[in-house]
Amino acid sequence: MFIIIIVPILWTFVLSFQEARYSDVARNGMANPFTLENYADVLTAPGFWKSIVTTLIYTAGTTIGTIAVGFIAALAFRGKFRGRGPLRALMLLPYVAPVVAIAYVWEVMLSPQYGIVNAIGTNYLGWETPINFLGTAPQALTTVIVFEIWRYFPFAFMFFTAALTGLNGEIEEASLVDGATPLQKFWYIVLPQLLPVIALLTLLRLVMTFNKFDDIYLLTGGAADTQVAAVRVYDQLVGSGDIGGASANAVILAAILAVGLFIYTRFAGRREES
């Protein structure tokens, strides 16, 4: 734990206060000039705050969508029917498939030149011109949010499926005997028992999505107003080789995430107690 987690975090924190590039670190190690300009440059850069807003929109949209779709899918597969096992396994395909492969498939499907989505839209849905889903704003951000929901709803689906399996069916049967409607049974009996699972999923998805890099980078590269914070850090590190600036950017993002998670856990804890 110390070597894998603590040392890299401490090293990143130290580098965030240094004027260091690749050659400087290779030559001097950790003995580089001390500076506070890294943090000043990050906090005063317009692109940083724009990436934060984009990250928040992306995180909120994908978290809500992933949990909602996963919940609906788990409810649909709750009852027994023929072929439920194979279909349930098929639902996990977006989550287990290699991200490089499925991102490429989506790029081909959504291509304005030869994509099947635009072919159907222009030929059958009355679109006047093809839509560049991944190259223009705001369609690009909406598309990557939909892609993230599609890819990670099986994650929520597995959680909800396990939780629904463990619910006490006698309580639900008793409510129906007492005259409760299916909607009342869901709202007053099923949903309250799943609130801890929803809270846990929300926390996990917030952390995972806030730090998400690979999906957006593979689909858009951060273009068309889809440059989230993680992609910005990567561009700063690889594009300019500014290790100190990229480290400062990463430390600030970690602080923002820590504050947000603290507020969320306090709020979620009080809701669970009530």
Side-chain angles (χ1 to χ4, degrees), residues 7-241:
V7 170
I9 292 176
L10 292 177
W11 195 3
T12 302
F13 183 75
V14 172
L15 286 173
S16 68
F17 290 97
Q18 295 183 356
E19 186 178 347
R21 296 184 179 272
Y22 287 121
S23 57
D24 299 324
V25 175
R27 182 174 57 253
N28 304 325
M30 309 233 354
N32 296 290
F34 178 84
T35 181
L36 293 175
E37 291 184 3
N38 293 333
Y39 285 93
D41 293 341
V42 170
L43 294 175
T44 56
F48 172 76
W49 296 109
K50 184 178 180 180
S51 70
I52 292 296
V53 173
T54 303
T55 303
L56 294 177
I57 296 173
Y58 175 73
T59 301
T62 55
T63 299
I64 296 172
T66 298
I67 294 175
V69 175
F71 193 19
I72 294 172
L75 291 175
F77 279 81
R78 189 183 185 189
K80 294 182 180 180
F81 57 88
R82 190 174 183 178
R84 185 178 68 162
L87 288 176
R88 182 183 290 177
L90 187 64
M91 296 282 285
L92 304 180
L93 181 61
Y95 185 61
V96 300
V99 61
V100 176
I102 57 178
Y104 176 74
V105 170
W106 273 62
E107 286 182 0
V108 173
M109 289 173 53
L110 299 176
S111 172
Q113 286 80 27
Y114 47 78
I116 186 174
V117 175
N118 276 297
I120 294 174
T122 53
N123 293 328
Y124 300 104
L125 301 181
W127 297 358
E128 296 182 0
T129 58
I131 299 176
N132 191 358
F133 288 98
L134 297 174
T136 57
Q139 291 93 335
L141 183 59
T142 303
T143 302
V144 295
I145 289 175
V146 172
F147 175 84
E148 187 78 2
I149 294 172
W150 171 81
R151 187 184 174 208
Y152 283 101
F153 88 87
F155 181 78
F157 171 73
M158 290 187 293
F159 272 76
F160 284 123
T161 299
L164 288 171
T165 303
L167 295 185
N168 189 344
E170 295 180 358
I171 301 178
E172 298 180 48
E173 293 176 2
S175 67
L176 295 176
V177 172
D178 291 338
T181 64
L183 180 60
Q184 290 173 329
K185 182 191 73 172
F186 168 76
W187 188 257
Y188 293 105
I189 297 177
V190 176
L191 184 60
Q193 297 182 78
L194 296 178
L195 287 180
V197 178
I198 295 175
L200 176 61
L201 274 173
T202 303
L203 178 63
L204 293 175
R205 290 304 305 157
L206 285 175
V207 175
M208 295 168 66
T209 309
F210 191 88
N211 296 312
K212 180 58 64 177
F213 166 78
D214 51 353
D215 294 353
I216 291 182
Y217 191 79
L218 289 171
L219 288 173
T220 66
D225 290 340
T226 61
Q227 189 188 55
V228 294
V231 174
R232 178 176 173 80
V233 173
Y234 176 83
D235 290 339
Q236 185 175 7
L237 179 63
V238 176
S240 61

